[in-house]
Amino acid sequence: MRVFMPLLAFLLIMPLALSAAEVTGKVRVIDGDSLRLAGHNIRLFGIDAPENDQTCVTRGGLRWDCGAEVTRLVREALEGETVTCDLRGKDDWDRDLAICHLGGRNLNAWLVEEGWAFAFRKYSMMFDLEEKSAAVNGRGLHAHDVQRPVDYRQEKRAQSKPPVVRRIPATDTGGCRIKGNISANGRIYHMPGQHDYERTSIRPDKGERWFCSEAEARAAGWRPARR
């Protein structure tokens, strides 16, 4: 019997250890799905609210600041309230993922039910029915034309990326194979077979170009590479 006592003690203690992954404190609202309390940055698990700078369009075609409005509504409802959060790991930004409660109310579910956030189905189906109910009844964001926040973020990242500069290969030059390169040494053209020919790329956006003959390159102001 004594052999099993450590195991029994562990099983009795384990629920207490799991419940220790709770934090309670007064809330500071960051945005529609992010809070700070008791020294923790909290990302509400399983839901996705509009970004602060996200805009939406009413059914009448008017654009409005839906992200800022959701943040305002959440702040109005929760700022300074004492909330308990059940921690469920970390997200990619090292925030604590959590399901939070105010009194007996599940705040994650409440935000989705009210239509101020979406079920984040990529990570959880927990709030799927709450979103469907909000959509059917046209509550909150569902009364307007709203881009899902995850799509908005992806589109914003794509727009912020620098344009891809196409480097023209030799096979795309119509038979003109001489590379007119611009460097710190000036305007230099490279002939096929020369030392730096293969590793030299042509950037038309920088004024570099292809030539069909050495005479054409020289006439344009380029000089031959030394090797």
Side-chain angles (χ1 to χ4, degrees), residues 181-217:
N181 176 247
I182 300 175
S183 69
N185 296 319
R187 297 171 181 261
I188 300 171
Y189 66 83
H190 300 264
M191 300 288 292
Q194 285 189 300
H195 184 271
D196 294 321
Y197 182 85
E198 292 299 332
R199 69 178 185 178
T200 299
S201 59
I202 297 303
R203 296 279 299 273
D205 60 306
K206 287 188 172 183
E208 297 175 340
R209 53 179 291 192
W210 296 84
F211 296 104
C212 298
S213 67
E214 288 192 78
E216 180 186 5

Side-chain angles (χ1 to χ4, degrees), residues 63-116:
R63 187 167 293 279
W64 63 293
D65 297 325
C66 56
E69 177 65 7
V70 167
T71 298
R72 184 189 70 78
L73 290 167
V74 177
R75 185 169 287 136
E76 190 175 89
L78 301 181
E79 189 80 21
E81 296 287 348
T82 299
V83 167
T84 297
C85 294
D86 175 20
L87 305 183
R88 299 195 168 208
K90 297 278 190 178
D91 71 2
D92 292 340
W93 290 267
D94 202 37
R95 296 176 297 185
D96 291 298
L97 295 167
I99 293 179
C100 298
H101 294 82
L102 175 59
R105 173 182 287 173
N106 182 320
L107 295 178
N108 305 50
W110 173 71
L111 286 168
V112 179
E113 285 174 341
E114 291 299 311
W116 299 119

Side-chain angles (χ1 to χ4, degrees), residues 25-71:
K26 290 188 180 297
V27 166
R28 181 163 67 88
V29 173
I30 306 303
D31 59 29
D33 54 28
S34 303
L35 313 173
R36 181 163 177 83
L37 70 149
H40 291 259
N41 291 318
I42 303 290
R43 173 66 161 84
L44 295 174
F45 174 76
I47 75 171
D48 200 16
E51 298 296 313
N52 267 328
D53 61 350
Q54 187 171 343
T55 58
C56 303
V57 180
T58 67
R59 294 287 164 82
L62 298 177
R63 187 167 293 279
W64 63 293
D65 297 325
C66 56
E69 177 65 7
V70 167
T71 298

